[in-house]
Amino acid sequence: MKACGYTTEVVLILPTSRTLSNWPESVQIEPDTTIQLGGWLFRHRTALPLPVAVAILVLRVGEAPPSARLVAAGIVVTALGELVRLWGVHHIGVISRTRSERLGPLVASGPFAILRNPLYAGNIALWVGFALAARLVWLAPLILLLLGLQYHAIVRWEERLLESRLGDAYRAYARTQRQQRTQRERRLLSHRDAVQRTRDAGRHSSRIRAAMAQSSSLKSEV
């Protein structure tokens, strides 16, 4: 397994050879409906978007009026989703195509340092963009919900598998990820608060200047 300093995000698409591992050949996973469903969805995840693709190609119900801006927005979202996917595949490699329970490296670089599951996030953005480009705006949130729930189940299964196979090493890794996400969220909130304070100060200064101008005008009239 590739060495990793456990510094960023977890890759949830996995393999190490059993010859290099002392783990049992079959891992017993706690029977949880979501986790069991996630395992099945993981093995069939290539086919998950097919109903979405059929809906986009066939449905014309609720189609928005022709709009160049809407189509352009859909193309941009689709392109961003594909770029995130390609970026993620570049860092994780061909193991992203596995359908087995093999384990791969815990990647901590590229988009995995920013997003917990960039490949899945990219897939969702890709299909939401297709829906927007097809002017099926009402379908976009349904795609977000449907694929989001499916990938949530997959992630639950992957995390359980990683914890079963890697034990304390994965738990330490996951704990580091949570801490780093919390730090990023705090920095973001701090930046947002600073921007808001700057805007408030600017508006306050504008009101003071307006009041002073009005006062000067009244004095001149007197």
Side-chain angles (χ1 to χ4, degrees), residues 117-128:
N117 300 282
L119 297 179
Y120 297 156
N123 283 341
I124 293 174
L126 188 74
W127 290 102
V128 167

Side-chain angles (χ1 to χ4, degrees), residues 67-89:
S67 170
R69 290 185 179 182
L70 181 58
V71 173
I75 292 174
V76 169
V77 173
T78 299
L80 287 175
E82 184 61 20
L83 286 174
V84 170
R85 278 176 41 79
L86 292 175
W87 189 18
V89 170

Side-chain angles (χ1 to χ4, degrees), residues 197-212:
R197 285 194 297 268
T198 301
R199 290 176 178 173
D200 291 343
R203 285 193 291 267
H204 182 66
S205 298
S206 297
R207 286 194 295 267
I208 292 176
R209 287 194 297 270
M212 293 177 63

Side-chain angles (χ1 to χ4, degrees), residues 17-116:
S17 170
R18 288 177 180 171
T19 61
L20 300 178
S21 173
N22 293 323
W23 311 118
E25 292 190 2
S26 61
V27 175
Q28 297 297 321
I29 297 178
E30 179 182 334
D32 178 281
T33 302
T34 302
I35 292 174
Q36 290 178 340
L37 176 62
W40 185 88
L41 291 172
F42 177 85
R43 292 186 294 273
H44 300 86
R45 67 185 185 277
T46 301
L48 296 184
L50 291 181
V52 174
V54 172
I56 292 173
L57 291 173
V58 173
L59 290 180
R60 286 298 172 263
V61 178
E63 191 175 43
S67 170
R69 290 185 179 182
L70 181 58
V71 173
I75 292 174
V76 169
V77 173
T78 299
L80 287 175
E82 184 61 20
L83 286 174
V84 170
R85 278 176 41 79
L86 292 175
W87 189 18
V89 170
H90 174 72
H91 284 268
I92 191 176
V94 295
I95 192 58
S96 63
R97 302 190 184 97
T98 186
R99 301 293 178 270
S100 68
E101 296 183 7
R102 297 180 303 159
L103 289 177
L106 296 175
V107 179
S109 59
F112 297 98
I114 304 171
L115 298 173
R116 189 175 184 181

